[in-house]
Amino acid sequence: MADNRNRVPREDLDSRSREELRREAREARERMRRRRNLFIWFLLIIGIVIAGVILSLTLFFNVSSIQVDGASQYADSKIIQACGVKNGDNLFLINRDKVEEHIQQNLPYTGSVQVKRKLPSTLVLEVEDSDITAAVRQGTEYFLMNADGKVLAVASGEKEFKQLIKDQKAKRKEAEKREKEEAKAEAAKTAKTEKTKKAEKTKKADSTTKKAESPKSSTKAAADEETVSNRPKASDEEEETTTTSTTTASSITVEVSTEKTKSWEGTVAVLTGLKVKSAQPGYPLEIGNPKILGMYRDIVEKLEEYNIQGITAMDFSNTADIRLTYQDRIILKLGPADGLDRKMAMAKKILTEQDEISTTQEGVLDLSIEGRGYFSQGEHEPLTTTTTAAPEENPEGGDSPVTQADGSGSETESMTDITAASTEESTDTTGETSETTTGYGGPGDTGG
């Protein structure tokens, strides 16, 4: 006979199954509700973001003021007009690259431009002027350009060219002076604000924590004051004499230290041997052989690296025989535009030595031979910034002989030879011709 004690009635099983089904249905409905709520919240957030973007593009962050900073020869109104941005334009939709390009093209003497946003509604333009670093001469015209090859102005002759250089130097000085005055005024305003805040803070601190001085400290302070008052003082005349002498000595020192480099600082080199195709102010110079501009930039970079100032002319008529003119008196024969590090190191060394001997002597510095540098003293036909031609070469490729001013036909040549291996010094004198050769060891030697 079967045991029915543990048997569950069928009615109870059906009731339990129905309860589980109802519970699972409730959980499914709850999950569905949560998903629906999350989706609604997601749509709401997206709607808020879209509304914020639309409002920011239509109502908020619109340009209401344009601020110009930096030392520029152009008036702020001209810079603002040239930038192409108007009040009401959205601050975040402005193409900063386009703004920089508009300013540099419409105002050719503008160099670097930085466009910044100052929330909520101010556009800041940081503008600096561009220096005239070179002028390409073709016929009687001069095309003035900066280090990047952008045309700044066109002069129809030498007189106009020199006048443009003079005017630009004056405008740059005026712009720098104005920037210093503005910076000084801003610093004074900031200092005044800080001083006021400090005074208020000190006053508040004194009012809350006031300490009475003891009689002992008061007596000591009075004694110290009496001691100081009894010390002997220098007369006003002595003080004035000391101050005057110090100021005079200082001014003399400054004048002496800057006199040597002042005349050649910021020299504009005249480039010849380039065929100009297009020269529109505000746009890059276009020439027949664009590689020459690359050579020019490489040379300028090395000149700056080795601090060689006073290059007044560059001749690219033959790219295998590039020639520079130093201070209108010494021709540098570079040869091709390779190995510039070595060549400029030797040029710096030899020019420094020759300037110590005389700052007026003329000659030719031949750097075209790899690893060597030769300086030949004597008159030459310089590559000037006006109409003189390049020096003629000897058919054999060497230096042209130099005839003395007395017409005797004698030749005097002082030659300096820098090599990577030689460390000897020798002198050989025959008749009226003397030659001195000095060697310096080590590759790239610049210090001797």
Side-chain angles (χ1 to χ4, degrees):
M1 186 174 176
D3 188 3
N4 296 327
R5 288 179 298 178
N6 295 328
R7 180 177 296 178
V8 178
R10 183 175 181 83
E11 293 79 4
D12 293 342
L13 288 174
D14 294 342
S15 175
R16 188 179 305 168
S17 298
R18 287 193 296 270
E19 184 64 28
E20 289 178 354
L21 290 173
R22 283 195 294 270
R23 184 173 64 250
E24 290 176 357
R26 284 196 304 270
E27 291 176 354
R29 287 195 300 271
E30 184 66 22
R31 286 196 297 270
M32 184 66 68
R33 187 179 65 82
R34 284 198 298 266
R35 290 174 183 173
R36 185 169 58 251
N37 290 341
L38 287 174
F39 182 71
I40 292 173
W41 276 108
F42 175 76
L43 291 178
L44 182 62
I45 292 172
I46 292 296
I48 293 173
V49 171
I50 293 174
V53 171
I54 293 174
L55 288 174
S56 66
L57 296 180
T58 56
L59 300 178
F60 308 122
F61 305 113
N62 290 334
V63 177
S64 62
S65 64
I66 300 177
Q67 177 183 333
V68 179
D69 295 335
S72 175
Q73 62 181 277
Y74 297 106
D76 291 355
S77 58
K78 284 190 175 182
I79 297 173
I80 293 173
Q81 184 180 1
C83 75
V85 179
K86 299 178 181 178
N87 287 342
D89 291 348
N90 187 266
L91 200 62
F92 290 100
L93 293 181
I94 293 174
N95 189 327
R96 291 187 286 185
D97 293 336
K98 287 290 184 182
V99 172
E100 295 174 7
E101 185 178 334
H102 285 160
I103 296 175
Q104 291 173 341
Q105 290 178 353
N106 292 298
L107 305 176
Y109 284 103
T110 301
S112 64
V113 179
Q114 290 186 355
V115 181
K116 298 181 180 179
R117 302 180 181 97
K118 188 177 180 181
L119 299 179
S121 59
T122 302
L123 184 69
V124 181
L125 305 175
E126 294 184 358
V127 182
E128 296 293 335
D129 275 352
S130 184
D131 290 324
I132 302 173
T133 59
V136 177
R137 190 185 76 209
Q138 184 168 271
T140 59
E141 288 187 310
Y142 291 79
F143 305 100
L144 285 67
M145 66 180 188
N146 65 2
D148 296 327
K150 184 180 78 169
V151 180
L152 305 180
V154 179
S156 58
E158 180 186 359
K159 185 177 180 180
E160 185 180 353
F161 163 64
K162 291 182 178 180
Q163 187 62 42
L164 282 173
I165 299 295
K166 184 178 179 181
D167 292 344
Q168 281 306 303
K169 287 182 179 180
K171 289 179 180 179
R172 284 300 302 272
K173 287 182 180 180
E174 183 64 28
E176 290 172 0
K177 181 180 177 181
R178 185 172 62 251
E179 185 188 24
K180 288 180 181 179
E181 290 176 352
E182 291 175 356
K184 187 176 180 181
E186 186 67 25
K189 184 179 178 181
T190 305
K192 186 177 180 180
T193 304
E194 292 294 331
K195 187 177 180 181
T196 303
K197 290 182 179 179
K198 187 176 180 181
E200 291 177 354
K201 186 177 180 181
T202 304
K203 186 177 180 180
K204 186 177 180 181
D206 290 342
S207 63
T208 53
T209 58
K210 193 173 182 181
K211 294 182 180 180
E213 293 184 354
S214 63
K216 184 176 180 180
S217 61
S218 301
T219 306
K220 184 177 180 182
D224 292 341
E225 184 178 356
E226 183 178 357
T227 304
V228 172
S229 63
N230 292 331
R231 289 177 183 172
K233 294 183 178 180
S235 63
D236 295 339
E237 184 178 353
E238 291 177 352
E239 290 181 358
E240 184 178 356
T241 304
T242 305
T243 305
T244 305
S245 62
T246 305
T247 304
T248 305
S250 176
S251 62
I252 291 174
T253 303
V254 171
E255 289 176 1
V256 170
S257 62
T258 58
E259 184 179 4
K260 187 173 182 180
T261 59
K262 187 176 180 181
S263 59
W264 295 108
E265 187 176 358
T267 303
V268 176
V270 174
L271 280 56
T272 55
L274 286 72
K275 295 181 180 180
V276 179
K277 294 174 63 179
S278 175
Q280 183 179 353
Y283 293 84
L285 179 72
E286 294 183 14
I287 62 173
N289 186 0
K291 292 182 179 180
I292 294 181
L293 287 180
M295 297 177 187
Y296 159 73
R297 293 190 187 99
D298 292 341
I299 292 173
V300 170
E301 180 182 349
K302 293 304 175 182
L303 289 172
E304 292 177 353
E305 181 179 341
Y306 288 96
N307 193 25
I308 301 176
Q309 297 182 359
I311 298 299
T312 54
M314 298 185 184
D315 184 7
F316 293 93
S317 300
N318 182 358
T319 55
D321 184 21
I322 300 173
R323 299 190 176 196
L324 315 182
T325 302
Y326 174 71
Q327 297 185 0
D328 285 333
R329 58 188 179 87
I330 296 177
I331 291 181
L332 279 64
K333 299 172 64 176
L334 292 185
D338 54 15
L340 290 176
D341 264 317
R342 177 68 174 171
K343 292 176 181 179
M344 291 305 172
M346 282 193 272
K348 178 65 176 178
K349 176 64 179 177
I350 298 175
L351 291 175
T352 301
E353 288 184 349
Q354 297 305 317
D355 284 346
E356 290 176 355
I357 297 172
S358 172
T359 57
T360 59
Q361 67 173 334
E362 299 179 356
V364 176
L365 175 55
D366 191 347
L367 303 167
S368 59
I369 302 175
E370 183 65 26
R372 293 177 177 270
Y374 298 95
F375 178 76
S376 304
Q377 182 180 357
E379 295 180 357
H380 66 280
E381 192 176 1
L383 301 172
T384 64
T385 59
T386 55
T387 57
T388 55
E392 297 182 358
E393 295 184 13
N394 192 306
E396 287 80 16
D399 295 327
S400 300
V402 180
T403 304
Q404 297 302 308
D406 58 4
S408 60
S410 61
E411 177 181 338
T412 303
E413 181 177 313
S414 175
M415 181 176 292
T416 304
D417 176 15
I418 298 182
T419 64
S422 173
T423 56
E424 299 180 356
E425 294 187 1
S426 62
T427 303
D428 182 11
T429 305
T430 305
E432 295 181 343
T433 302
S434 62
E435 180 178 302
T436 304
T437 302
T438 306
Y440 297 86
D445 174 46
T446 60

